[in-house]
Amino acid sequence: MSRADALPAEGSHAGRTPGPLWSLGLFRSELVITLRRWRTLALLGVLAVVPVLVGIAVKIETRGGSSVGHRGGDGPAFISQVTNNGLFLVFAALAATLPFFLPMAVGVIAGDSIAGEANAGTLRYLLVAPAGRTRLLLAKYTTTLVFCLLAALVVAVSALAVGALLFPLGDLTTISGTRISLADGLGRALLIALVVAASLVGVAALGLFVSTLTGSGIAAMATTVGLLITVQILDQIPQLDALGPYFFSHYWLSFADLMRDPVQWDDLQRNLGLQALYAAVFGSAAWARFAGKDITA
Amino acid sequence: MGPVSAAETEVGGVDDPVIHTRALTKRYRGGQLAVDALDLSVPAGSVFGFLGPNGSGKTTTIRMLMGLIEPTSGAARLLGHPMPRAARTVLPQVGALIEGPALYGFLSGRDNLLRYDAADPTADPRTRRARVAAALQRVGLTAAAGKKARAYSLGMKQRLGLASALLQPRRLLVLDEPTNGLDPQGMREIRALIRELAADGTTVFLSSHLLDEIEQVCSHAAVMAQGRLVVQGPVAELAARARGRLVVTTPDTSEAARVLKEQGVADVVVTEEQVSGEPPEREPAELNAALVASGVRVRGFGVERASLEDAFVALTGEGFDVAG
């Protein structure tokens, strides 16, 4: 403990004016910290493994030249096309992970965002730093959205790699029956990954809101994932058809419409609109809750 | 980092209290009154000891001062600005250790500080690494800076928490039990650091349950009990409030005790060779004369100075947990 190494001279104590871009430091720190958590890497790892399993399963099942998806159930969308063109594994893997794996991963990250900091006690130190409640919430939500994008891209890239390795690549046939080039197909794959990422915006906002309600990261994660499952079950009940269009998962699989020629935008737009609505409603709720909350943790 | 405008430094004036609360009250949702009409005034440049038994409302007060908890009623001003409204302008000038350190266990000590510094929008990212290194040096953690925080001992965590309060030059430090978990050598180092910071002009608001710590480092103190402020003022005045005890050393203890009771001494306690009690409002020499007149052989006669602990017990009516 030496006095010689005093803090760098900064003139006076008072009146530091923040630089215009310094505020981004919190977001960057948030992103780096999220990606350094073992849990985040594990989630991304699981997401990367799903396309590998799907690819291998299809390869084994079609070894004798038979086609998939015509015995028993249909399996995930696009799966019957995978043997003809490895690129379809990207669509099949996204269709397989979107109902559960992807939103679960997002729910874990979003649910932990505020509650996890409260649980560790680090929230009070961030707030007296002072991070600012609105700024912290924005940094948390933005980081969760970046994770959504990253998660969708991890699935897509892993599927593309496995698809290219196990199956032929080439021109593909759209759902409408027209032929498009591989380059066009890759472009649509990227677009689909982006739409899938955007489909998770609602779950992310819901998770953030739940996260402001409790001081336990685990409870927030469990609640978010529980809500996710509940909503998907409710969406399957015919008697609740009237509510269907308001469930955040209702239009998720509309990304398949991007494989039509021409693209059918109706459900895609409804999906994106619904996600924006969820983001607005639960984002505001999270802010209203967090801005006035007594931090006792 | 431009020069500081005169208007900004003059806010509140140099001699105005650094912490000032008026009828500050917090009632939790369950109806429990945690802090009751607190009027606290911490002078600039003081080392202010904040004392009270567990559950007396110290931490709730600190949380209200730092803008973590909204007061039910009343007002708190920090560095002349209202809290929690002015949190963004005031808190960068305040370093805090609240209810022990909280760290990211999976990050190194250094990365923990980088994280907390990034949370402050007024912290210059260009000097961040240098400031973190200086803060680590100041609390003696340079050698352990690369270790994961989960592997830190309680004392090391406490030091890292202190370092996070020292990332910037501060006008006020709010330290809740800063020597908790430290060994005696660590305690001495931290107390020396606190004196050093105070000598630089930083006001230090120190909550502690170690009375000798308060006596050693604090110039002022406030005592809370059951959510209310019992007393505040310079430490010397507080200690003077508790009246000293009269102590008579004599082989004739029973006779001495009888005479002292006659003379109006209360709470007379007889031990081997000594009789003590609370002196009445009279000239002590008269008591001595009365003892000698009754044939008591007086070997020693005097009034023992009261310690802060005596003052504390007298004020709160409660014992206090004094760690050795």
Side-chain angles (χ1 to χ4, degrees):
Chain A
M1 226 162 308
S2 125
R3 172 121 189 215
D5 293 76
L7 301 172
E10 296 218 30
S12 164
H13 291 169
R16 282 185 294 269
T17 29
L21 291 176
W22 293 3
S23 222
L24 292 177
L26 180 61
F27 166 65
R28 224 185 57 189
S29 154
E30 192 57 51
L31 196 59
V32 169
I33 278 206
T34 306
L35 292 178
R36 281 182 67 176
R37 273 187 209 274
W38 182 85
R39 181 202 306 141
T40 312
L41 299 178
L43 287 171
L44 291 176
V46 168
L47 288 172
V49 166
V50 171
V52 178
L53 295 179
V54 173
I56 292 174
V58 170
K59 187 77 181 173
I60 291 172
E61 197 168 341
T62 57
R63 214 168 9 191
S66 66
S67 64
V68 243
H70 293 291
R71 306 167 309 179
D74 279 348
F78 302 111
I79 205 139
S80 57
Q81 303 257 33
V82 172
T83 40
N84 304 327
N85 194 325
L87 189 55
F88 273 97
L89 188 58
V90 175
F91 312 137
L94 285 170
T97 49
L98 184 52
F100 187 70
F101 283 110
L102 276 169
M104 183 207 67
V106 171
V108 167
I109 299 292
D112 191 52
S113 57
I114 298 289
E117 302 272 6
N119 204 24
T122 46
L123 183 58
R124 64 177 183 266
Y125 285 107
L126 290 177
L127 290 181
V128 303
R133 298 194 182 201
T134 308
R135 181 165 160 260
L136 182 61
L137 205 60
L138 278 175
K140 290 285 184 189
Y141 192 53
T142 315
T143 304
T144 311
L145 295 187
V146 170
F147 178 81
C148 293
L149 182 63
L150 207 59
L153 288 178
V154 161
V155 173
V157 169
S158 163
L160 185 62
V162 174
L165 217 61
L166 297 181
F167 308 102
L169 284 181
D171 291 358
L172 16 58
T173 312
T174 62
I175 298 179
S176 315
T178 57
R179 303 281 294 174
I180 55 173
S181 68
L182 179 61
D184 194 358
L186 281 170
R188 291 200 189 204
L190 179 65
L191 198 59
I192 284 179
L194 293 179
V195 167
V196 166
S199 301
L200 300 168
V201 165
V203 181
L206 186 66
L208 187 73
F209 172 58
V210 171
S211 195
T212 61
L213 297 179
T214 163
S216 153
I218 302 286
M221 288 186 236
T223 308
T224 309
V225 174
L227 280 172
L228 169 74
I229 297 169
T230 311
V231 162
Q232 302 220 44
I233 292 173
L234 292 181
D235 202 16
Q236 302 298 318
I237 299 176
Q239 285 82 355
L240 297 176
D241 267 355
L243 291 177
Y246 300 100
F247 293 133
F248 56 78
S249 60
H250 192 70
Y251 298 108
W252 270 356
L253 294 181
S254 65
F255 75 79
D257 290 348
L258 282 170
M259 281 306 292
R260 294 183 199 279
D261 209 16
V263 173
Q264 292 189 356
W265 291 102
D266 296 0
D267 278 1
L268 284 164
Q269 278 170 357
R270 283 196 198 101
N271 182 24
L272 296 181
L274 189 61
Q275 300 307 323
L277 182 70
Y278 267 83
V281 169
F282 285 101
S284 310
W287 180 81
R289 166 73 183 156
F290 189 55
K293 191 185 186 190
D294 279 355
I295 307 299
T296 51
Chain B
M1 212 106 336
V4 181
S5 74
E8 251 169 330
T9 35
E10 291 314 307
V11 166
V14 181
D15 293 325
D16 280 359
V18 166
I19 296 173
H20 185 76
T21 70
R22 210 181 57 249
L24 191 67
T25 301
K26 179 67 186 182
R27 188 182 286 280
Y28 282 115
R29 232 179 286 164
Q32 181 212 348
L33 197 58
V35 175
D36 186 5
L38 182 68
D39 293 310
L40 198 64
S41 183
V42 176
S46 63
V47 179
F48 196 97
F50 196 39
L51 283 159
N54 295 335
S56 58
K58 293 188 308 262
T59 298
T60 302
T61 305
I62 288 176
R63 283 180 180 268
M64 281 193 280
L65 292 175
M66 300 304 292
L68 293 172
I69 289 182
E70 191 94 23
T72 309
S73 64
R77 292 178 84 82
L78 217 56
L79 302 172
H81 296 277
M83 285 298 286
R85 199 145 39 85
R88 291 196 74 138
T89 42
V90 173
L91 290 184
Q93 306 170 50
V94 181
L97 186 66
I98 308 161
E99 271 190 286
L103 306 168
Y104 300 88
F106 62 101
L107 295 181
S108 70
R110 183 183 293 111
D111 286 347
N112 267 284
L113 293 185
L114 290 171
R115 160 77 166 164
Y116 285 134
D117 197 64
D120 178 358
T122 70
D124 188 345
R126 289 163 299 186
T127 60
R128 182 162 295 149
R129 292 210 157 258
R131 282 182 293 109
V132 164
L136 285 165
Q137 168 83 30
R138 214 158 183 190
V139 298
L141 268 186
T142 304
K147 243 168 94 171
K148 293 250 184 289
R150 87 161 68 80
Y152 277 19
S153 69
L154 181 55
M156 288 162 82
K157 286 179 180 163
Q158 193 76 14
R159 284 163 190 259
L160 195 63
L162 265 171
S164 78
L166 300 177
L167 286 170
Q168 299 266 12
R170 313 283 193 186
R171 285 176 66 192
L172 170 65
L173 284 173
V174 175
L175 304 177
D176 198 357
E177 306 273 356
T179 56
N180 204 13
L182 294 175
D183 50 34
Q185 174 62 22
M187 285 185 177
R188 283 181 53 184
E189 284 175 14
I190 296 303
R191 283 172 197 159
L193 180 63
I194 290 171
R195 287 196 199 96
E196 193 179 291
L197 290 161
D200 292 348
T202 306
T203 308
V204 182
F205 185 76
L206 178 79
S207 109
S208 178
H209 70 286
L210 301 176
L211 284 155
D212 57 341
E213 180 165 292
I214 300 276
E215 276 196 302
Q216 280 179 39
V217 299
C218 292
S219 60
H220 294 69
V223 178
M224 281 192 82
Q226 290 161 358
R228 302 194 70 104
L229 186 69
V230 179
V231 69
Q232 65 180 325
V235 166
E237 269 177 37
L238 293 184
R241 281 202 186 198
R243 308 231 306 279
R245 270 182 90 79
L246 177 74
V247 180
V248 177
T249 311
T250 171
D252 314 318
T253 49
S254 52
E255 178 67 5
R258 189 188 60 77
V259 174
L260 287 176
K261 277 181 196 157
E262 267 178 23
Q263 296 291 323
V265 174
D267 188 26
V268 173
V269 177
V270 177
T271 55
E272 205 180 319
E273 298 264 297
Q274 273 199 345
V275 180
S276 67
E278 285 178 23
E281 301 279 345
R282 299 168 44 186
E283 175 58 36
E286 289 177 24
L287 296 175
N288 195 16
L291 286 169
V292 175
S294 308
V296 174
R297 289 167 290 168
V298 177
R299 287 183 183 155
F301 183 93
V303 178
E304 276 186 0
R305 193 187 72 87
S307 68
L308 195 59
E309 187 183 353
D310 296 327
F312 183 86
V313 173
L315 288 166
T316 63
E318 289 186 52
F320 211 82
D321 170 19
V322 183

